[in-house]
Amino acid sequence: MELTRREFLQWSATVIAAMHAPLLTAQPRREVSAKVEIRHTRLHANNLAEQAAYYRDVLMLPVETSTDTVRVSAGASVIEFVPGDPAQRPFYHFAFTIPENQLESAMAWLEPRCPILNIRDTPEKIIHFKSWNAESFYFNDPAGNIL
């Protein structure tokens, strides 16, 4: 069977349209549920002894120390602090997940142990992230990390 150029273009346009029809029809939006779990991270700190004492004595987390490493266990994750460049003062921002119904009690437990940061120069200490459906509060460790 021979096709004219016009017939070929019509036929191929129909095939291409049929192939892409699922992309063009409105389908209900599926929620993507991806849970990210960080099992191990290595961060730099200039005073490892101070970091070890803070995470062990203030946050009451299990801490293992060696001459050049502080390993903090938090749930299924390990935060490992190693010596940083003394000429720099590295700092990071990381988070601990707290169940939504325990946020207030977690903050009440922590507040006598370390200062909770105010949100944007206001007396508020909890910020709500509407797009993430999350709430957070912040504090610093001795290295200046924002938690």
Side-chain angles (χ1 to χ4, degrees), residues 15-43:
V15 170
I16 291 170
M19 289 172 32
H20 290 88
L23 300 174
L24 300 174
T25 58
Q27 296 184 7
R29 184 178 172 168
R30 293 183 309 184
E31 290 296 319
V32 177
S33 174
K35 184 177 179 183
V36 176
E37 290 185 6
I38 298 174
R39 297 294 183 166
H40 182 264
T41 188
R42 180 175 291 144
L43 308 175

Side-chain angles (χ1 to χ4, degrees), residues 93-94 110 115-119 125 127 129 132 136-140 146-147:
H93 177 181
F94 54 94
L110 184 62
I116 306 292
L117 302 176
N118 290 344
I119 305 299
K125 299 197 183 271
I127 188 168
F129 296 98
W132 291 358
S136 299
F137 65 86
Y138 298 93
F139 56 99
N140 295 109
I146 303 166
L147 289 78

Side-chain angles (χ1 to χ4, degrees), residues 22-78:
L23 300 174
L24 300 174
T25 58
Q27 296 184 7
R29 184 178 172 168
R30 293 183 309 184
E31 290 296 319
V32 177
S33 174
K35 184 177 179 183
V36 176
E37 290 185 6
I38 298 174
R39 297 294 183 166
H40 182 264
T41 188
R42 180 175 291 144
L43 308 175
H44 293 100
N46 288 336
N47 189 331
L48 296 182
E50 199 173 45
Q51 288 296 90
Y54 179 81
Y55 284 88
R56 181 186 57 243
D57 302 335
V58 175
L59 297 186
M60 298 183 164
L61 293 171
V63 174
E64 296 175 26
T65 60
S66 68
T67 55
D68 61 350
T69 307
V70 171
R71 292 173 57 93
V72 179
S73 296
S77 301
V78 173

